[in-house]
């Protein structure tokens, strides 16, 4: 189990250099790059990786989280679907170039219109997803679907994991990135996940995100949630041992607390 | 004073034929305006058939129904830090304006966007992106003389709180940039009357639905907690006569709401 840090910490430092300094001081040897400007984008990820390897050594492990805010592989709007697909393809391409082990994507959102046209939407979604999966497989990279907590997400609660697993089970390189704060926010829990899903579903969880509720991808100050998130992680790690655990926060003190907490669990 | 009442195609039962279904309903029930929601499968900017456009245009003309458009908004983010997303958002709005021009639609309603992590930390920078995107959209709008109306939004991640809209309006100061005032979105975290009074100089279009305070349901007027009597009085005091577009979960609710509002107006004016 590799314990790493999300690059969103750059947003707090307002600099990549300070982020690298922090990685070095904390003896962290795994980075999850989230492609969000202004500090990490498609153009600078490769030179930044080279810089980090020079400083921390070539053995540093890398995963890459694709842009995942308005991106939507299940949008009724072709242009949105195409943009999302292109961004995910570009992320896979970048991941290959920097030697990343996994790419993390947001599977999709179904709003009112999409729900009304579900069959048509799902057909196109699967076409895109399987194309990405094949590319990932050829590159030896995991393509991991991350759960989100907003009500219209297609991968949200424990039951969604079981349903989506049925769509991905034939692709060995497709799996899940379990975001524990998101799981809790959608009224799920690790116990519920274990109860609802077969072991083979859980074993597809290759990466786990830890951070503050409601979401590591929001600027939240809900520090009371740390204990709960760590407790849930502990429960999960008794059942499975995901390859990657990522601590994601825009606050250095919060990152330190999670790092200590996870190292204790391990 | 006569108000203009309209209906949104988001009320349609059959989304594959939402535009024609709503237009036909508007004709039968003598609505003045139809607002086409450009995110139903039959009416996606860049993909609408000429045949449908001609049909809509003709039917609206024949029945004296004004057509206006609501641009797609899911995944639209004019304030995104991601250049690709911003460019796509601008392009989708341009394509909506092309449709508006074909339909002689004077107004296109749109949403400004969403505020995720980079925006939450660097809000001023996000507003710089937003203003830059809007200037591009307005350049395009000026070719056709179309008014683009930004809608107030109440969601936690939405850019569209009344203060956001005023900040944008003051920064841009363009006569083609106006506001669509949504009663339920205003009610999500504030008092709709207070918000309307803040924004009234810019409002040219209203989305009507009702809801309990703090929630964004699409109920008929009277089913929620919004003070429509006070709101209609504020419209009248400001000499604003609509359009008031019913954005509800069913067309029946729109008919009920129109009757209720007409009664309220009668009472106020008597």
């Amino acid at each position: 189990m590799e314990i790493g840090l999300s690059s969103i910490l750059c947003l707090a430092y307002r600099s990549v250099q300070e982020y690298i300094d922090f990685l070095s001081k904390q003896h962290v040897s795994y980075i999850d790059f989230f492609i969000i400007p202004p500090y990490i984008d498609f153009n600078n990820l490769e030179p930044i990786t080279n810089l980090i390897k020079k400083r921390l050594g070539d053995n540093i492990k890398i995963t890459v989280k694709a842009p995942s805010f308005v991106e939507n592989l299940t949008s009724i709007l072709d242009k949105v679907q195409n943009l999302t697909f292109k961004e995910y393809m570009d992320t896979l391409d970048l991941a290959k170039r920097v030697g990343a082990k996994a790419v993390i994507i947001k599977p999709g959102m179904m709003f009112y219109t999409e729900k009304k046209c579900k069959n048509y939407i799902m057909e196109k979604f699967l076409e895109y997803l399987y194309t990405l999966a094949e590319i990932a497989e050829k590159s030896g990279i995991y393509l991991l679907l991350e759960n989100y907590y907003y009500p219209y997400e297609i991968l949200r609660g424990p039951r969604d994991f079981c349903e989506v697993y049925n769509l991905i089970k034939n692709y060995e390189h497709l799996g899940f990135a379990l975001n524990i704060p998101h799981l809790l926010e959608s009224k799920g829990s690790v116990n519920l996940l274990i109860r609802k899903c077969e072991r083979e579903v859980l074993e597809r969880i290759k990466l786990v995100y830890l951070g503050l509720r409601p979401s590591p991808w929001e600027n939240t100050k809900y520090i009371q949630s740390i204990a709960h998130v760590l407790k849930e992680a502990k429960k999960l790690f008794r059942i499975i041992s995901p390859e990657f655990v990522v601590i994601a926060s825009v606050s250095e003190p919060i990152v330190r607390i999670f790092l200590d907490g996870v190292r204790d669990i391990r | 004073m006569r108000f203009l009442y309209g209906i949104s195609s988001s009320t349609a039962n059959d989304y594959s034929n939402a535009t024609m279904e709503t237009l036909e309903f508007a004709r039968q029930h003598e609505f003045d305006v139809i607002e086409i929601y450009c995110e139903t499968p039959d009416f996606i900017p860049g993909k609408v058939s000429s045949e449908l456009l001609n049909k809509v245009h003709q039917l609206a003309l024949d029945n004296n129904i004004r057509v206006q458009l609501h641009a797609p908004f899911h995944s639209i983010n004019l304030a995104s830090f991601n250049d690709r997303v911003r460019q796509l958002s601008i392009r989708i709005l341009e394509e909506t304006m092309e449709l508006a021009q074909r339909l002689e639609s004077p107004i296109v309603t749109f949403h400004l966007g969403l505020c995720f992590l980079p925006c939450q930390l660097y809000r001023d920078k996000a507003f710089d992106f937003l203003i830059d995107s809007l200037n591009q959209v307005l350049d395009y709008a000026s070719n056709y003389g179309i008014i683009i109306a930004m809608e107030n939004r109440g969601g936690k991640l939405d850019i569209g709180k009344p203060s956001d809209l005023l900040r944008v309006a003051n920064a841009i100061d363009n006569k083609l940039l106006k506001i669509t005032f949504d009663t339920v979105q205003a009610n999500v975290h504030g008092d709709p009357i207070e918000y309307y009074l803040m924004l009234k100089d810019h409002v040219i279009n209203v989305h009507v639905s009702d809801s309990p305070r703090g929630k964004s349901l699409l109920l008929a007027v009277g089913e929620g907690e919004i003070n429509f009597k006070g709101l209609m009085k504020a419209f009248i005091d400001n000499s604003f006569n609509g359009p008031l577009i019913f954005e509800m979960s069913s067309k029946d609710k729109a008919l009920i709401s129109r009757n209720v509002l007409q009664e309220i107006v009668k009472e106020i004016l008597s």
Side-chain angles (χ1 to χ4, degrees):
Chain A
M1 197 160 78
E2 295 282 349
I3 298 171
L5 293 191
S6 166
S7 63
I8 58 168
L9 199 51
C10 295
L11 294 168
Y13 290 136
R14 297 177 180 245
S15 123
V16 176
Q17 192 56 52
E18 280 190 51
Y19 170 68
I20 301 172
D21 291 345
F22 184 70
L23 291 172
S24 169
K25 274 185 219 154
Q26 293 294 322
H27 307 289
V28 172
S29 57
Y30 160 43
I31 299 167
D32 182 57
F33 283 114
F34 186 0
I35 303 181
I36 30 171
Y39 297 107
I40 309 287
D41 59 39
F42 284 109
N43 298 321
N44 69 11
L45 192 135
E46 210 173 346
I48 287 173
T49 307
N50 293 336
L51 200 72
I52 289 174
K53 282 183 175 169
K54 220 179 244 178
R55 176 88 183 271
L56 305 177
D58 282 337
N59 292 335
I60 192 133
K61 302 270 187 317
I62 294 166
T63 53
V64 186
K65 178 172 159 61
S68 319
F69 290 119
V70 297
E71 283 70 14
N72 189 6
L73 266 188
T74 54
S75 174
I76 186 80
L77 303 172
D78 287 355
K79 285 193 169 67
V80 171
Q81 237 183 357
N82 293 340
L83 171 91
T84 307
F85 180 67
K86 166 97 173 70
E87 287 192 330
Y88 292 176
M89 287 281 273
D90 289 350
T91 308
L92 275 168
D93 182 47
L94 253 181
K96 192 178 168 187
R97 281 193 271 140
V98 300
K101 304 287 179 201
V103 161
I104 298 90
I105 62 171
K106 172 178 171 132
M109 301 174 277
M110 286 222 182
F111 301 99
Y112 193 63
T113 309
E114 283 82 5
K115 281 180 186 155
K116 285 210 165 199
C117 316
K118 195 173 174 183
N119 290 345
Y120 164 74
I121 293 288
M122 284 309 283
E123 202 176 300
K124 284 192 71 187
F125 165 67
L126 290 177
E127 198 183 305
Y128 279 137
L129 183 65
Y130 295 155
T131 306
L132 292 167
E134 278 161 19
I135 292 167
E137 196 154 348
K138 272 184 206 155
S139 312
I141 295 172
Y142 284 126
L143 183 67
L144 306 179
L145 311 180
E146 181 186 352
N147 59 308
Y148 276 70
Y149 78 92
Y150 310 113
Y152 33 76
E153 302 290 340
I154 63 169
L155 183 60
R156 188 169 181 261
R159 190 171 297 161
D160 300 327
F161 277 85
C162 311
E163 282 176 16
V164 173
Y165 172 74
N166 285 325
L167 303 173
I168 67 169
K169 63 184 175 192
N170 294 331
Y171 291 82
E172 273 181 28
H173 279 70
L174 273 178
F176 297 115
L178 175 67
N179 187 313
I180 290 186
H182 288 176
L183 180 72
L184 297 176
E185 211 54 33
S186 56
K187 296 190 172 63
S189 66
V190 167
N191 277 345
L192 213 58
L193 193 67
I194 293 166
R195 226 181 303 145
K196 295 250 184 227
C197 299
E198 302 286 338
R199 187 165 181 94
E200 57 197 12
V201 180
L202 301 176
E203 279 173 353
R204 287 290 181 109
I205 298 172
K206 304 293 179 191
L207 185 148
V208 172
Y209 280 116
L210 303 178
L212 296 182
R213 283 175 70 175
S215 173
W217 320 129
E218 290 174 26
N219 184 26
T220 164
K221 306 265 188 293
Y222 184 28
I223 52 172
Q224 296 92 320
S225 62
I226 296 175
H228 192 185
V229 170
L230 283 171
K231 202 169 135 192
E232 293 293 304
K234 198 172 178 179
K235 280 184 207 162
L236 183 75
F237 300 159
R238 275 194 213 119
I239 307 289
I240 58 161
S241 180
E243 287 181 41
F244 304 102
V245 176
V246 178
I247 293 158
S249 173
V250 288
S251 155
E252 188 190 295
I254 300 294
V255 167
R256 283 177 195 275
I257 296 171
F258 270 110
L259 259 180
D260 290 345
V262 178
R263 282 171 175 160
D264 276 353
I265 295 173
R266 196 170 59 165
Chain B
M1 185 175 189
R2 185 185 173 275
F3 273 87
L4 295 175
Y5 294 100
I7 185 157
S8 162
S9 66
S10 64
T11 57
N13 295 322
D14 175 8
Y15 259 36
S16 62
N17 186 36
T19 307
M20 285 308 291
E21 182 190 308
T22 313
L23 189 52
E24 188 53 40
F25 181 84
R27 187 187 67 77
Q28 277 172 16
H29 296 275
E30 298 178 342
F31 278 92
D32 308 292
V33 181
I34 168 181
E35 186 167 289
I36 301 175
Y37 169 49
C38 299
E39 217 167 303
T40 56
D42 63 326
F43 218 87
I44 288 173
K47 289 181 75 182
V48 187
S49 71
S50 282
E51 190 192 344
L52 178 61
L53 271 180
N54 293 338
K55 223 162 127 182
V56 170
H57 191 208
Q58 199 54 53
L59 191 59
L61 271 181
D62 292 348
N63 292 281
N64 202 22
I65 297 170
R66 180 167 120 185
V67 177
Q68 53 191 51
L69 303 185
H70 192 313
F73 59 90
H74 292 117
S75 296
I76 300 300
N77 192 3
L78 294 168
S80 176
F81 279 64
N82 179 337
D83 186 51
R84 296 178 183 187
V85 170
R86 253 184 0 260
Q87 292 311 319
L88 177 78
S89 303
I90 291 168
R91 185 62 203 133
I92 289 175
L93 287 183
E94 288 173 349
E95 286 183 343
T96 310
M97 285 188 275
E98 285 161 19
L99 284 178
Q101 190 259 339
R102 295 272 305 267
L103 293 169
E104 297 181 70
S105 160
I107 301 172
V108 170
T109 291
F110 71 104
H111 296 186
L112 294 172
L114 297 150
C115 191
F116 295 105
L117 191 50
C119 160
Q120 289 168 359
L121 289 166
Y122 313 126
R123 203 163 170 89
D124 285 344
K125 184 70 193 159
F127 265 84
D128 289 345
F129 284 134
L130 177 59
I131 301 299
D132 185 58
S133 303
L134 274 173
N135 279 325
Q136 289 184 55
V137 173
L138 281 161
D139 272 352
Y140 208 82
S142 67
N143 296 332
Y144 303 127
I146 291 168
I147 291 171
I148 57 166
M150 48 188 171
E151 185 176 339
N152 61 304
R153 302 290 300 163
K156 150 174 118 155
L157 297 172
D158 284 309
I159 301 174
K161 312 296 179 289
S163 55
D164 296 334
L165 302 186
L166 287 177
R167 182 175 175 180
V168 169
N170 292 334
I172 291 184
D173 191 24
N174 184 316
K175 63 183 186 333
L176 293 178
L177 181 65
K178 298 287 182 185
I179 289 174
T180 286
F181 180 74
D182 188 297
T183 56
V184 156
Q185 292 294 325
N187 190 50
V188 168
H189 62 99
D191 174 11
I193 298 174
E194 193 185 306
Y195 283 165
Y196 172 70
L197 293 175
M198 275 172 76
L199 302 171
K200 66 183 169 61
D201 293 343
H202 306 275
V203 172
I204 50 147
N205 186 39
V206 170
H207 287 167
V208 177
S209 42
D210 204 349
S211 189
R213 172 61 64 88
K215 293 192 173 166
S216 57
L217 304 180
L218 300 172
L219 304 177
V221 171
E223 289 182 324
E225 292 175 348
I226 296 176
N227 174 4
F228 275 99
K229 193 169 173 185
L231 199 52
M232 293 303 280
K233 185 165 183 324
F235 294 159
I236 291 167
D237 289 346
N238 193 38
S239 303
F240 173 75
N241 72 331
L244 307 181
I245 308 291
F246 298 107
E247 246 190 3
M248 294 172 174
S249 53
S250 77
K251 294 198 281 297
D252 288 347
K253 285 185 192 291
L255 290 176
I256 294 166
S257 299
R258 183 174 62 178
N259 288 339
V260 173
L261 291 187
Q262 283 171 336
E263 285 306 310
I264 289 175
V265 172
K266 256 191 227 164
E267 201 183 316
I268 294 171
L269 295 177
S270 65

